[in-house]
Amino acid sequence: MSLGRHSGSDLARAVALALAGLAAVAAVAACASKPKPPPGPVLLEFFDSKLFDDQLRRAMAEESPEITVAFIGTDATVNEIPDRLDRWLTTIASEDAQRVQVRPDPRLPMPKNPAAIGLGLSLAMRAYDATRDWLFFAVAGDYDAVLLHDPRTGRLTRLVFARRPQE
């Protein structure tokens, strides 16, 4: 038996393996060279937990253009904002208070005389230790926020974080 001689089936197997290897390398290279698609809008439901903070931070870190937080089964109102949300809003408003707005939800009917309800639309921003959790909340600085509420009751319906255009 000669070392330089191979059967036709051995040669065919070697060629097939080489081609399979090249195809795998090409597939990996093609995947690596494709740009990552831009993130889409995100919908979250508010729940008073660190898990919510983690979900919101992840959506902001992924640079989602819009993040809507729905309030289902909560007693949150424009005058009783949960501390967990207040930290996010305070971070956004720290540079410019006008970046956080409070508006009636346009999807809900307006009361005939909103002044009669006596609903105060002030957003009380509480002070907190700015250095605590700064890195965690820093991603919020790239967003504006709009709190939407039921104009009849003041109950929060949605909170929309909109990514600011990057210069």
Side-chain angles (χ1 to χ4, degrees):
M1 179 161 129
S2 166
L3 292 177
R5 303 186 108 197
H6 298 284
S7 70
S9 63
D10 288 341
L11 185 57
R13 262 185 281 203
V15 168
L17 280 172
L19 289 175
L22 286 174
V25 168
V28 168
C31 288
S33 66
K34 287 184 183 175
K36 183 179 177 184
V42 173
L43 174 63
L44 301 175
E45 288 186 16
F46 176 75
F47 57 102
D48 199 5
S49 167
K50 173 97 169 69
L51 296 173
F52 170 80
D53 287 338
D54 292 341
Q55 289 177 353
L56 181 55
R57 184 183 187 291
R58 189 175 317 115
M60 287 181 173
E62 291 174 356
E63 301 180 357
S64 298
E66 184 175 280
I67 304 161
T68 301
V69 177
F71 295 91
I72 300 170
T74 72
D75 292 331
T77 68
V78 294
N79 289 318
E80 294 179 22
I81 296 170
D83 289 340
R84 182 166 306 286
L85 286 180
D86 192 52
R87 285 193 299 266
W88 289 101
L89 297 173
T90 301
T91 300
I92 291 170
S94 66
E95 292 178 25
D96 179 1
Q98 301 217 6
R99 290 182 50 201
V100 176
Q101 300 176 16
V102 180
R103 297 184 197 155
D105 191 330
R107 299 184 304 183
L108 299 174
M110 288 291 288
K112 294 198 187 291
N113 186 1
I117 294 174
L119 175 64
L121 295 181
S122 65
L123 181 60
M125 296 297 184
R126 294 177 290 264
Y128 73 100
D129 181 0
T131 56
R132 182 181 61 125
D133 300 329
W134 182 84
L135 288 175
F136 187 85
F137 294 102
V139 293
D142 292 335
Y143 285 82
D144 290 337
V146 178
L147 279 164
L148 298 165
H149 64 88
D150 183 329
R152 297 164 297 176
T153 65
R155 199 170 291 281
L156 297 180
T157 58
R158 295 179 288 151
L159 169 57
V160 179
F161 293 97
R163 186 159 172 78
R164 297 170 58 99
Q166 301 303 303
E167 299 165 2

